[in-house]
Every structure is written in structure tokens, then in C-alpha cells.
Amino acid sequence: WVEEEAPDVLCLQETKVGAGAVPPELRGCSQFPHQYWASAAQQPGYSGVGLLSRREPLAVTYGIGESPVQTSRVITAEFPSLYVVCAYVPNAGRGLVRLDYRQRWDSAFRSYLTSLDARKPLALCGDLNVAHSEIDLRNPSTNRRSAGFTPQEREGFGELLGAGFLDTFRHLYPTTPYAYTFWTYLGGARERNVGWRLDYFLLSRRLQGALCDSKIRHRVMGSDHCPISLYLAL
């Protein structure tokens, strides 16, 4: 599927593999000669992310600066016209045991992104672990205290949009229902399309004119998430 899609930049989240254990068929993929991997130092593969590119970035950084929250979840690549940020946002956890941590993360991540945006526009690709609006999950009424749909997480996402970023899919398809990127493996959820939209491309608003399309590839199998694709004319 990746060969057919032929992206310029491929972002991966929740890789579950340390940089030294990346499968050789991916490590040796000639389509992406420039590859960057990150995961927790003490737990290789935990919360891991990868950014693969056809062209060599001007610079690559890891984490979100001096924030006290875990920073292995982010890779930022600088290109001539924009930053590309690959992120795997923490889950608030079963029983919302990590909701406070999640809120601290959201604040620190928003500060990091706005600092980047002050220098150059950006595209954020990631599993952001939040369904922003009721249209973004199949059963909103029964999930208001579930991780990913709490008022705090939804408000945090709204504050990120308010800081100057565009949810590209909802900008182009504001009323499209049943558009999800994640389905639990339980209960045949994917077959019944009982899902959540947790994966996003956000874009600096000043790049709105470059936005061509933002697609959810729901037919692509291989994970409990599906890929998403962003098309920009830069």
C-alpha cells in the first residue's frame, strides 16, 4: 500500500519497536532513504514514532523541547517550506488515570507547536487520541467519560485549533458522518464501522490555500487504525 500511495513523507505512530529493531524490509526501503525513529529510552518501542522521507530534511529534532512531560513521542522534520511533525499523543488511560498527565501534555505540545509556527508553517500528522466532536465517533452519548472523548481532552484540542491550526479533514468535509480512523478489535467493530476519528492532519492556517485534500484510507487493513493522507501544493 505504501508503494502505491508513494508519499513524500511517511509518519508512523505506536511503532512498538526500537530503532535498532526496525524490520529490514522497511529499513532497506529505497523509497525512503531518510529515516528517523524515536521511542522511550528505557522501553524500546513504547510510544514509538517514525518519520520516513524521500528527501533529506534540513533538520530533525526529537521531543517537544524542555517540557517535563514525556517527549519521545514526537519527531519534527524541517523542510524548505514547512515543518512536518509526527506525534503520538498519550492516552488518558483506562479509568482516566492519566487524564491530568494528558492535560499537561496538551498544554506543553500546544506551546511547542505555536513556537514552531512562529518560525515556519507546519503540518502535524498523528494519532492525537481525541475525537473532537460528536460526529467523530459512533457512540458519543455513551463515551463522555471515556479516554479520548472527555470534555478536558476535547477542549484541549479546541484550544490547539484556536492557536492557529486547521483540522484539514473537517475543514474539507465538515458534515461527513461515519468517518473514522480507529476501531477496537473487539466485537467486530470495524466490520460494523463502530469507530473513532483519532488520527489527524493539522495544518497552519496560513497554508490553507495549499490544501488540496485530506483523506481517510478506511479500506487499508493491517492495524486497528487506518492510514490517512494529506495532499498539499507547495
Side-chain angles (χ1 to χ4, degrees):
W1 178 82
V2 171
E3 291 178 350
E4 291 176 357
E5 186 76 357
D8 294 298
V9 178
L10 176 66
C11 296
L12 303 172
Q13 297 89 35
E14 200 176 5
T15 56
K16 297 184 182 295
V17 63
V22 173
E25 61 268 27
L26 186 56
R27 175 68 80 182
C29 180
S30 60
Q31 183 176 351
F32 301 111
H34 309 287
Q35 301 187 11
Y36 310 91
W37 304 92
S39 60
Q42 304 304 318
Q43 297 174 274
Y46 175 76
S47 70
V49 291
L51 188 149
L52 294 76
S53 179
R54 290 177 177 272
R55 300 170 61 184
E56 185 175 8
L58 300 176
V60 175
T61 57
Y62 300 85
I64 54 176
E66 301 301 320
S67 169
V69 301
Q70 180 186 349
T71 57
S72 63
R73 296 170 172 268
V74 177
I75 299 175
T76 301
E78 181 182 0
F79 295 95
S81 55
L82 83 169
Y83 293 104
V84 175
V85 182
C86 174
Y88 176 37
V89 171
N91 190 293
R94 188 182 301 273
L96 304 180
V97 295
R98 286 161 51 90
L99 181 58
D100 287 345
Y101 174 81
R102 168 62 187 267
Q103 290 180 271
R104 294 197 302 274
W105 165 277
D106 284 347
S107 177
F109 192 40
R110 183 172 63 253
S111 295
Y112 172 70
L113 294 176
T114 54
S115 70
L116 286 181
D117 187 54
R119 301 195 293 271
K120 185 180 288 189
L122 65 87
L124 165 64
C125 173
D127 176 356
L128 304 189
N129 259 317
V130 62
H132 184 218
S133 302
E134 291 192 357
I135 196 175
D136 294 318
L137 73 167
R138 185 64 175 267
N139 294 315
S141 61
T142 57
N143 281 292
R144 300 194 186 282
R145 291 297 299 164
S146 298
F149 197 60
T150 63
Q152 295 93 328
E153 292 165 294
R154 296 169 64 191
E155 180 179 348
F157 187 85
E159 290 175 356
L160 182 56
L161 297 183
F165 302 103
L166 193 71
D167 175 352
T168 58
F169 181 80
R170 277 291 167 234
H171 174 73
L172 295 172
Y173 307 102
T175 61
T176 298
Y178 311 121
Y180 309 128
T181 66
F182 164 81
W183 305 261
T184 177
Y185 284 125
L186 302 175
R190 189 156 187 174
E191 292 77 8
R192 296 183 294 119
N193 198 27
V194 179
W196 298 56
R197 189 170 73 98
L198 301 179
D199 304 88
Y200 297 80
F201 278 110
L202 301 190
L203 192 66
S204 295
R205 285 193 173 273
R206 64 187 184 278
L207 282 182
Q208 179 176 328
L211 175 60
C212 300
D213 210 345
S214 185
K215 291 292 190 182
I216 294 175
R217 305 303 196 186
H218 64 276
R219 292 187 177 88
V220 179
M221 308 300 289
S223 169
D224 52 356
H225 292 251
C226 74
I228 57 175
S229 301
L230 180 69
Y231 294 88
L232 298 175
L234 297 171

